[in-house]
Amino acid sequence: MSKTKLTINNNGSVKIEGDFEIVDKNGNAYGLQGREVVSICRCGLSKNKPFCDGAHKGHFEHEAIAFDLPPKKV
């Protein structure tokens, strides 16, 4: 199985690439029609949630810079 990659885009969506499944809160899978790349909405403005439709343009600002989380609590 290939590794799944999530890319947090500046001022926009989360791009998911690879072998993945997206399910709703009840465990029902979204029909991705064979897609291996999709973008998930982060701004809440998409009319096609959870998928991005570009509605964030000019309405959402976030500079995506990677950082380390604090140590995992045991």
Side-chain angles (χ1 to χ4, degrees):
M1 178 188 294
S2 66
K3 195 174 192 180
T4 300
K5 178 181 175 183
L6 281 76
T7 303
I8 312 302
N9 292 311
N10 282 344
N11 306 322
S13 64
V14 175
K15 181 169 81 171
I16 305 173
E17 303 173 80
D19 184 21
F20 59 88
E21 178 180 40
I22 300 175
V23 299
D24 67 12
K25 66 177 186 158
N26 298 315
N28 300 310
Y30 286 88
L32 301 178
Q33 310 305 318
R35 288 175 176 81
E36 295 179 354
V37 177
V38 297
S39 292
I40 300 296
C41 176
R42 284 197 306 143
C43 72
L45 298 173
S46 176
K47 291 187 178 13
N48 196 32
K49 286 188 235 35
F51 304 100
C52 178
D53 68 1
H56 61 270
K57 289 186 171 67
H59 301 285
F60 181 72
E61 292 185 25
H62 175 259
E63 187 174 358
I65 303 294
F67 60 90
D68 292 334
L69 290 174
K72 184 177 172 181
K73 293 181 182 180
V74 183

